[in-house]
Each structure stands twice: as C-alpha cells, then as structure tokens.
Amino acid sequence: MLIDPDLLAENPERIDAIEKATLRLVTQAVFDYRRQAQIIFANETDKVADIGEDITREALDRMGVSRIDQRLFGKVDYKRAKYLFLPDFAIRQALFVDSKAETTSGQGTATLQITQISMRVRQIRTGQEVDEPGRLPSTIKIGENTFLSTTVFVKYNYTEDKLGHQKTLQSITVAALPSGLLQNQYNPTATDTIFIAGRNAPTLGEEFRTRLSFNLLKQKANWRVQKFLASDAQLVWAD
C-alpha cells in the first residue's frame, strides 16, 4: 500500500520509521565501502569535499536502491526519487544524501545549507533568537505523484600530516536530519534545538548556514546518529 506523504504530519511515528530505515540503508552502504574509502582518502588529491561526494555516490551505487524515473533538484550530492518499502506500507521518497569532510577536530557537527533543510532552523545566534525557514519542501509534488523528502548527511572525519598532504580517514558519521513535519518534536523553539550557529557571516552577505549538532540530535533520538571507525570490522547499530 502506497501511503500519501501529505498525510504523514498526523503520524510522526511513521516518519521516524521511514527515516530510520533510510539511515540503515545509507549507513550500511557507506560501511561496506569503508576500506575503499580509506584508500581513496590516502591517495586522492582532489578537495576533501569532492572526495567525500565521490565515496558516498559510489557506495550507494554499489548498494543499489529502487528508482523512480523522476528528476530531483537541489544542492545535494546524491538525489534519487525512489520507493521505500516497509513491512506495513510503502511510500514514494525523494532521497537526498549530502557528504561532508572535515578533520577530526570538527567531527561533532556538520555545516548545512538552508536549501538542504526542510525544518525551520530555530536557534540562538549572537544572543538573538533565529527562526529561518528551510528551503527544501517536506513533500515534493512531481506530476501526479507526491514524494516525501528524506535527508541524510555523511560526515568523513580525517587526520592529515603537518603539510596537509597525506590524509587518513579515521571515522564516518551518518545522520538522519528530521523532516520538517517533525518540527515540534525536534526543534520546537530556539532553545530546544538540534542546531548551533553556522559558519556564514551575515555581515558579509553570505547565505544562511547552520550547523547540525550530532550530540544534540542524539539527545533527541540516539539512533539518528550512527558513527563507526574506518577500521571497524563490524557495524554496530546505535539504537
């Protein structure tokens, strides 16, 4: 049974189930590709952001996911219109997976563009409350069909030598960003939030960005943030 994404606002438990199943898929795909990812990080000379993007795309392509022949738009590395099948229902899904890469000193957060977020970003910034609407629709209408937007971020945490030439992939964090339909559950106010101030400079006219705090998100739902070492022999799911 295909359910209507526009009716999910009344059933947050189903949205959690959808995003949890999606996170399992992405986490397993990247974990299975971790050995190749280590080799790529050690030998590739591209920018780390490009390296992360390539790894995520290759990992998901190798895993394979269902496909609906519809094009998605947005500033995200991997975009796929697809079906998601769960035991009690199925849904049309717009899957967005974005990659981040940073040294291990910044592994506690991921910097997000407002175009990648369907929630309103409510947070405190320079002592003031911020309420910035995300620009990714919670549901996307394409032709006669509606798709539920689901966003996952993959963060590659690495170290580098003193010259910044040799990079070693240390760990990978995979996080499921809550749908905008879950606003009241995950970010109801500026002080009850999963976001901290981003790295843009409003005084310079830079576009709004924010940082997702993995720790704050885990406090809301521990399963939404999965982290493993690149050297791990087995994936252990944090529920």
Side-chain angles (χ1 to χ4, degrees), residues 108-112 153 175 177-178 194-196 210-214 217:
T109 65
T111 300
L112 315 184
F153 292 95
L177 186 68
I194 57 175
F195 301 108
I196 59 177
T210 189
R211 281 187 292 167
L212 173 66
S213 167
F214 296 137
L217 182 56

Side-chain angles (χ1 to χ4, degrees), residues 67-152:
R67 185 186 187 103
I68 299 175
D69 191 20
Q70 296 284 354
R71 184 177 179 84
L72 299 177
F73 299 92
K75 295 181 179 180
V76 180
D77 298 338
Y78 182 94
K79 303 177 284 290
R80 177 67 60 87
K82 59 185 287 291
Y83 291 109
L84 179 69
F85 298 97
L86 290 173
D88 297 326
F89 65 91
I91 192 168
R92 291 183 180 91
Q93 181 184 50
L95 174 61
F96 299 94
V97 184
D98 202 56
S99 306
K100 313 290 180 182
E102 195 172 357
T103 59
T104 52
S105 61
Q107 63 186 312
T109 65
T111 300
L112 315 184
Q113 300 178 54
I114 197 65
T115 54
Q116 299 173 327
I117 304 170
S118 60
M119 305 178 74
R120 301 187 71 90
V121 176
R122 294 169 175 161
Q123 62 182 145
I124 302 295
R125 185 163 187 160
T126 61
Q128 302 295 318
E129 290 192 4
V130 172
D131 188 345
E132 184 79 15
R135 297 182 194 169
L136 178 68
S138 296
T139 61
I140 299 175
K141 183 77 172 179
I142 305 176
E144 298 180 353
N145 298 320
T146 302
F147 295 75
L148 177 70
S149 298
T150 304
T151 305
V152 176

Side-chain angles (χ1 to χ4, degrees), residues 3 23 25 70 81 93 107 188 229:
I3 60 174
L23 183 64
L25 182 149
Q70 296 284 354
Q93 181 184 50
Q107 63 186 312
L229 299 177

Side-chain angles (χ1 to χ4, degrees), residues 194-228:
I194 57 175
F195 301 108
I196 59 177
R199 291 172 177 166
N200 63 302
T203 56
L204 299 178
E206 293 181 352
E207 187 175 17
F208 183 89
R209 286 182 290 174
T210 189
R211 281 187 292 167
L212 173 66
S213 167
F214 296 137
N215 183 52
L216 290 176
L217 182 56
K218 284 177 69 68
Q219 290 177 32
K220 293 284 187 178
N222 190 57
W223 63 264
R224 282 190 175 271
V225 180
Q226 303 294 324
K227 183 178 180 181
F228 55 86

